[in-house]
Amino acid sequence: MTRSGIERREFLKRAGAGSAALAAFPALADASWAHGNDDNGRRRFYFQAVSGQAATLVGGESILMSGCGSFTDRSARGGGEFVHFDGTKIPSLDFINTGSWRATRFLSFEEVGTWGVGVSGILEMEIKLIPCDGPVIRGATLKIVCNIGPAGLENEPFQQEGFTLTVPGLAPFSPFTPPAGLTFFSRRCAEPEEEGD
């Protein structure tokens, strides 16, 4: 195993991106979400992943992001947190920037297919980054890709599961191969019919 492979695994273990993140997704959602009205076709998104400017985690600057929210074909709302760091220096407590982010404008959604309440597709939105120290960064775009492998639902042409963050003045942060994190889109179930007494 290469040195970068060991560092990557250790980093993900420490960052908490892995199967525990998938198990946490339902806890992020309102329990009433699973059933109910269509809510005008609103879908939800959840993700926790790492993307970078280089091909490997230890090759350059990377960003760890998490987020959740909802969207329709006209609007997006939601947000999360981020830590921007230099992967060439990990493990290290140093970071370049950290804070939260908020969706500001829906750009597009391309649905690939559905599997249960799961939805495979590509969501793009404009966001603002809100650093803990420093000015708000506006005009960034966030593209989240969700493939559902067990159902054979992958976008064509293929794009890696994860997120791409484009910030004005910086090189884009793109998903690693293999991906480092998880994404999930969901839709509501149909309202269950109640049985009479």
Side-chain angles (χ1 to χ4, degrees):
M1 189 173 290
T2 67
R3 181 172 181 256
S4 63
I6 293 170
E7 288 177 353
R8 178 174 178 262
R9 180 179 20 240
E10 183 61 25
F11 174 79
L12 293 175
K13 181 178 170 185
R14 290 181 184 180
S19 59
L22 181 60
F25 282 156
L28 299 173
D30 182 342
S32 67
W33 172 257
H35 294 285
N37 296 333
D38 184 45
D39 197 22
N40 296 321
R42 189 162 288 282
R43 291 181 163 84
R44 292 217 173 177
F45 68 87
Y46 311 90
F47 75 98
Q48 181 176 2
V50 182
S51 289
Q53 295 175 333
T56 64
L57 181 65
V58 296
E61 291 183 18
S62 296
I63 191 161
L64 171 65
M65 289 185 82
S66 66
C68 64
S70 62
F71 62 96
T72 67
D73 60 356
R74 293 185 305 270
S75 68
R77 60 185 180 214
E81 294 77 32
F82 72 91
V83 179
H84 177 193
F85 62 95
D86 184 347
T88 65
K89 297 179 180 176
I90 59 174
S92 172
L93 294 176
D94 295 333
F95 56 87
I96 298 168
N97 208 344
T98 190
S100 62
W101 67 270
R102 293 287 174 256
T104 58
R105 187 166 61 107
F106 172 84
L107 297 176
S108 67
F109 180 69
E110 180 183 335
E111 183 177 302
V112 173
T114 61
W115 188 55
V117 296
V119 179
S120 176
I122 302 170
L123 171 64
E124 291 189 68
M125 55 191 156
E126 190 172 293
I127 68 168
K128 65 180 177 182
L129 299 166
I130 308 163
C132 292
D133 297 313
V136 172
I137 301 165
R138 299 182 188 282
T141 58
L142 178 63
K143 177 173 75 171
I144 304 169
V145 175
C146 177
N147 297 312
I148 303 178
L153 296 173
E154 296 179 340
N155 52 78
E156 291 184 23
F158 180 77
Q159 293 183 49
Q160 190 62 261
E161 173 110 2
F163 72 88
T164 300
L165 176 66
T166 305
V167 179
L170 297 177
F173 297 89
S174 301
F176 297 112
T177 301
L182 300 164
T183 65
F184 189 68
F185 299 143
S186 66
R187 62 188 174 107
R188 287 184 185 250
C189 294
E191 183 69 36
E193 293 184 25
E194 293 184 26
E195 294 182 26
D197 291 346

